[in-house]
Amino acid sequence: MSGGTVDRARAMAAPLGRPALAAAAFVVLAAAFFAVIGRNPLSMIGVVLEAAAGDSYAIGESLVRATPILLCALATALPARVGLISVGAEGQFYAGAIAGTGTVLSMLPTPGWTMLPLMLVTGALGGMALSLLAGLLRTGLQVNETISTLLTNYVAALLVTWLVYGPWKSPASQGWPATVEFPAAAKLPALFDSRVHAGLLIGIALAVVLHLVLTRSRWGLVLDVLRSNPRAGLVAGLDFRRNALIVMALGGALAGLAGIAETASIQGRLQSDIAGGAGFSGFLVAWLARNHCLRIIPLSLLVGALLASGDGLQMFAQVPSSVTLVIQGLLFVAVLLVNGWLDRKRPG
Amino acid sequence: MHLQLRSIAKRFGAILAVDGVDLDVDGGEVLALLGENGAGKSTLMKLLYGVHRPDAGQVTIDGRATRIDSPRDAMASGIGMVFQQFSVIPALTVRENLALAHASTPWFTGRGARRATAGLAPLAAIAPDVPMDARVSSLSVGQMQLVELAKALQQDPRLLILDEPTAVLGDDEVRRLWSLIRGFATRGLAVVLITHKLADVAACADRVAVMRRGRVVASGAARDFDATRLLRTMVGERDLAAPSTAPLPADAPTRVWIRGLSARGPGSRIDGVDLRIARGEVLGIAGVSGHGQDVLADACAGVLSPDAGEVIVDGETLFAPRQRAPRAGRVAYIPEQPIRNAVAPDLPLALNLHLDRLHTLPAIPDRRRMEADARALLTRFDVRPADPTMAAGRLSGGNLQKLVAARELCGAPALVVASHPTMGLDLAASAFLYHQLFALAQAGSAVLWISEDLDDLLHHAHRIAVLHRGRIAGVVPADQRHRQTIGAWMTGHADAEAA
């Protein structure tokens, strides 16, 4: 293949932008997948669209799924700004859920207006604590943060399971492992008469604020330097440890917030497996967005919609809902392909 | 072999790196390709080796038009290249590195690579003293380069390109390389030697070609170019006044006291270093590399916390165990290997020029102002291209060095720590940097200048201290008469002074 043709194709593709190209590649891949499993690609894509955004209920469910993914993606992107690779959003989500639930349970007989803010703050602190543990291990003992966050994910998830089977199990739930139902005072306000709660707005606002802070402020520059070359940062007198701990703490707080908001407003009680992979989807979204906080917003909504369409697929098209996991995988493959193609080091 | 380049051109963005170059190379001759940093020498040779593809022009080998799209094509055409940045794998042994690069090595060697004999012949021929089973990470820079050279020779090239091979070598290693290069030419190889050292030309070039701003501005037999003519051709009509230090008044007060400083770094250490540097003084640190120079520099700049002792500047202790004052504005530091130690490679030049004073910026920095400040500095220190939004990693080695110098030498620091500040710089840029450094001294700074170039130190420093095994072996005024003494201290013969 001649280099000229590729260059010309690339030049023509540039104005379309990465998102459009990636979307096109994704549709092609998804269609191919449906063809392979013996379904009509067009009607299946129709079903996916219908189930993700066909009516106000579908849109609502998509936004519900997107909310924790958005916060968890921010929780991943923030440590990445100093070059730390945290895969701990899932565990921090659970840690936040535990801490916030603890607050709610301790205040239970008489819930007042203070319950909601206290629950959110302690939830954030819970996520922060777990994330700081990994941060301290990294800055103090050089323990790889990717491994430690991966492992603490299991600890936090199992801790939830133990709590809901044991000390926090509701006597009224007749054997079902869950805490008591949260009171209305612990729920975030709902939006547009749906299950979507204010956590979505909080997440979007935080993404915008973080974007401005990271790209406009002096602190953002400090983080950039530490990511680009920690040694040069040290020579310039910048404090890697302090900044690493700050971003780990803030990231953990965001995932913790996602955890307690999901527990209180969507599940209504603490039970096992409530994260449903939101932490990991968040990691992938952050990675797709290249840790760019604004790009995280649409990508979270897209991934949330895809995941939400799983139920629809199961109901209307009689395919296993796990098909959506394949579709989610294909989305990442599509973005990878397009990025790889556009970024390929030009030979010269 | 006869190689012909005609009208070769290459543009990177707005910069015309190579601008219509014609060049001929013949078997059996050494062509020295000279030019300042960023003149286009390396780019031209990377075009020939297939690392980049030319936008225009033609390559002809032995009369046949040849298209070189990749290093693989270049090797197939009989072209080998040794880059400035080594490609040997430090964690493997010499033998394994050579086996990896050798074409006859099977794709799966199992544990066989440890015993591989393929591809060892070139190294055995040029440097029988390099231990085959030592890890590459344990070799000296000179030995690593010989391994690189052996890798290139495995392909049995007819044209060998060496990119500034002498820049990183000590005196003995340079002499050995020169004789190797002459040997290659005698055997009929064509050799292109990219350099900006005039000594390389005198020692082994048959022909020279001088590049300036992407063009070959002069070429001819090496004997027709004396040092003055070469210099003129390389730098054009700019002024090349030799830099000099002002004489130091006898009563100059002490400005910096490095007091009993002990510190440990990876691989080396310093032990009880005690030095006083007067206001306006340039104190040279001589020594064989690896005797604690990097630790001394880091500790004096407050990057490495000392185990004992202190650095006292203007009567105030700046750095001591568990004490570290910010160095910005008071201590300027040009560390060795700027790409590793002093710049953030994927960030813009403007930010890199503010790296040491980030904390003095407002909470929301004004980018346009940062870029305007940066542009002025880039122009003043002749960093090319002077584009404040460009990523630092895209600068050539010499321009990176200038970038760091621009940042560190633009203020009025009390202490300047400069570690090999002219490494990788051409003559004009070195002269300019020395001018800046010595102007700071004249304005009252104390300068601690670490170098392996004893000639430079003797020429420009006021006094020279010799570092040996992390201790100061002695301090003498910088005077040719003390050359023997300094040499003896450097090699650990402390008693030679008496002799």
Side-chain angles (χ1 to χ4, degrees), chain B residues 276-290:
Chain B
R276 286 167 193 258
I277 313 175
R279 191 184 158 78
E281 184 179 23
V282 178
L283 175 66
I285 302 287
V288 178
S289 81

mmCIF file of all heavy atoms in Angstrom, chain B residues 276-290:
data_model
loop_
_atom_site.group_PDB
_atom_site.id
_atom_site.type_symbol
_atom_site.label_atom_id
_atom_site.label_comp_id
_atom_site.label_asym_id
_atom_site.label_seq_id
_atom_site.Cartn_x
_atom_site.Cartn_y
_atom_site.Cartn_z
ATOM 1 N N ARG B 276 34.684 25.671 49.699
ATOM 2 C CA ARG B 276 34.163 27.042 49.792
ATOM 3 C C ARG B 276 34.294 27.672 48.417
ATOM 4 O O ARG B 276 35.342 27.564 47.776
ATOM 5 C CB ARG B 276 34.973 27.865 50.787
ATOM 6 C CG ARG B 276 34.714 27.523 52.237
ATOM 7 C CD ARG B 276 35.813 28.174 53.061
ATOM 8 N NE ARG B 276 35.825 27.653 54.423
ATOM 9 C CZ ARG B 276 35.320 28.323 55.461
ATOM 10 N NH1 ARG B 276 34.758 29.496 55.279
ATOM 11 N NH2 ARG B 276 35.382 27.799 56.662
ATOM 12 N N ILE B 277 33.218 28.312 47.979
ATOM 13 C CA ILE B 277 33.272 28.989 46.686
ATOM 14 C C ILE B 277 33.049 30.474 46.934
ATOM 15 O O ILE B 277 32.074 30.871 47.596
ATOM 16 C CB ILE B 277 32.193 28.451 45.719
ATOM 17 C CG1 ILE B 277 32.193 26.921 45.717
ATOM 18 C CG2 ILE B 277 32.445 28.966 44.300
ATOM 19 C CD1 ILE B 277 31.084 26.302 44.890
ATOM 20 N N ALA B 278 33.974 31.273 46.418
ATOM 21 C CA ALA B 278 33.912 32.714 46.669
ATOM 22 C C ALA B 278 32.888 33.358 45.756
ATOM 23 O O ALA B 278 32.464 32.782 44.753
ATOM 24 C CB ALA B 278 35.276 33.345 46.450
ATOM 25 N N ARG B 279 32.496 34.550 46.116
ATOM 26 C CA ARG B 279 31.640 35.360 45.261
ATOM 27 C C ARG B 279 32.365 35.568 43.935
ATOM 28 O O ARG B 279 33.494 36.023 43.896
ATOM 29 C CB ARG B 279 31.454 36.702 45.975
ATOM 30 C CG ARG B 279 30.422 37.579 45.416
ATOM 31 C CD ARG B 279 30.422 38.922 46.169
ATOM 32 N NE ARG B 279 29.802 39.892 45.282
ATOM 33 C CZ ARG B 279 28.479 39.966 45.109
ATOM 34 N NH1 ARG B 279 27.700 39.210 45.815
ATOM 35 N NH2 ARG B 279 27.975 40.830 44.257
ATOM 36 N N GLY B 280 31.708 35.185 42.835
ATOM 37 C CA GLY B 280 32.319 35.390 41.512
ATOM 38 C C GLY B 280 33.257 34.287 41.079
ATOM 39 O O GLY B 280 33.846 34.355 40.011
ATOM 40 N N GLU B 281 33.394 33.256 41.912
ATOM 41 C CA GLU B 281 34.369 32.216 41.569
ATOM 42 C C GLU B 281 33.742 31.088 40.757
ATOM 43 O O GLU B 281 32.602 30.682 40.988
ATOM 44 C CB GLU B 281 34.972 31.618 42.849
ATOM 45 C CG GLU B 281 36.058 30.601 42.519
ATOM 46 C CD GLU B 281 36.695 29.989 43.762
ATOM 47 O OE1 GLU B 281 36.046 29.987 44.835
ATOM 48 O OE2 GLU B 281 37.828 29.512 43.663
ATOM 49 N N VAL B 282 34.525 30.552 39.809
ATOM 50 C CA VAL B 282 34.137 29.357 39.076
ATOM 51 C C VAL B 282 35.016 28.223 39.584
ATOM 52 O O VAL B 282 36.226 28.206 39.342
ATOM 53 C CB VAL B 282 34.325 29.539 37.566
ATOM 54 C CG1 VAL B 282 33.966 28.246 36.834
ATOM 55 C CG2 VAL B 282 33.482 30.693 37.055
ATOM 56 N N LEU B 283 34.413 27.325 40.355
ATOM 57 C CA LEU B 283 35.172 26.193 40.901
ATOM 58 C C LEU B 283 34.876 24.962 40.050
ATOM 59 O O LEU B 283 33.728 24.525 39.953
ATOM 60 C CB LEU B 283 34.767 25.936 42.353
ATOM 61 C CG LEU B 283 35.391 24.699 43.008
ATOM 62 C CD1 LEU B 283 36.899 24.857 43.148
ATOM 63 C CD2 LEU B 283 34.780 24.422 44.372
ATOM 64 N N GLY B 284 35.917 24.439 39.427
ATOM 65 C CA GLY B 284 35.745 23.259 38.598
ATOM 66 C C GLY B 284 35.876 21.985 39.416
ATOM 67 O O GLY B 284 36.682 21.930 40.352
ATOM 68 N N ILE B 285 35.050 20.986 39.106
ATOM 69 C CA ILE B 285 35.188 19.676 39.742
ATOM 70 C C ILE B 285 35.654 18.711 38.663
ATOM 71 O O ILE B 285 34.923 18.414 37.722
ATOM 72 C CB ILE B 285 33.854 19.174 40.320
ATOM 73 C CG1 ILE B 285 33.294 20.163 41.342
ATOM 74 C CG2 ILE B 285 34.019 17.799 40.946
ATOM 75 C CD1 ILE B 285 34.016 20.210 42.654
ATOM 76 N N ALA B 286 36.876 18.216 38.817
ATOM 77 C CA ALA B 286 37.403 17.260 37.852
ATOM 78 C C ALA B 286 37.316 15.867 38.454
ATOM 79 O O ALA B 286 37.186 15.712 39.668
ATOM 80 C CB ALA B 286 38.844 17.592 37.497
ATOM 81 N N GLY B 287 37.383 14.871 37.608
ATOM 82 C CA GLY B 287 37.363 13.508 38.121
ATOM 83 C C GLY B 287 36.914 12.552 37.054
ATOM 84 O O GLY B 287 36.265 12.953 36.083
ATOM 85 N N VAL B 288 37.290 11.280 37.242
ATOM 86 C CA VAL B 288 36.822 10.246 36.333
ATOM 87 C C VAL B 288 35.341 10.021 36.631
ATOM 88 O O VAL B 288 34.948 10.035 37.802
ATOM 89 C CB VAL B 288 37.627 8.953 36.549
ATOM 90 C CG1 VAL B 288 37.129 7.851 35.637
ATOM 91 C CG2 VAL B 288 39.106 9.218 36.330
ATOM 92 N N SER B 289 34.541 9.819 35.597
ATOM 93 C CA SER B 289 33.100 9.736 35.843
ATOM 94 C C SER B 289 32.779 8.550 36.744
ATOM 95 O O SER B 289 33.465 7.540 36.729
ATOM 96 C CB SER B 289 32.339 9.615 34.515
ATOM 97 O OG SER B 289 32.376 8.286 34.063
ATOM 98 N N GLY B 290 31.736 8.692 37.552
ATOM 99 C CA GLY B 290 31.345 7.627 38.464
ATOM 100 C C GLY B 290 31.992 7.727 39.839
ATOM 101 O O GLY B 290 31.873 6.829 40.661
#
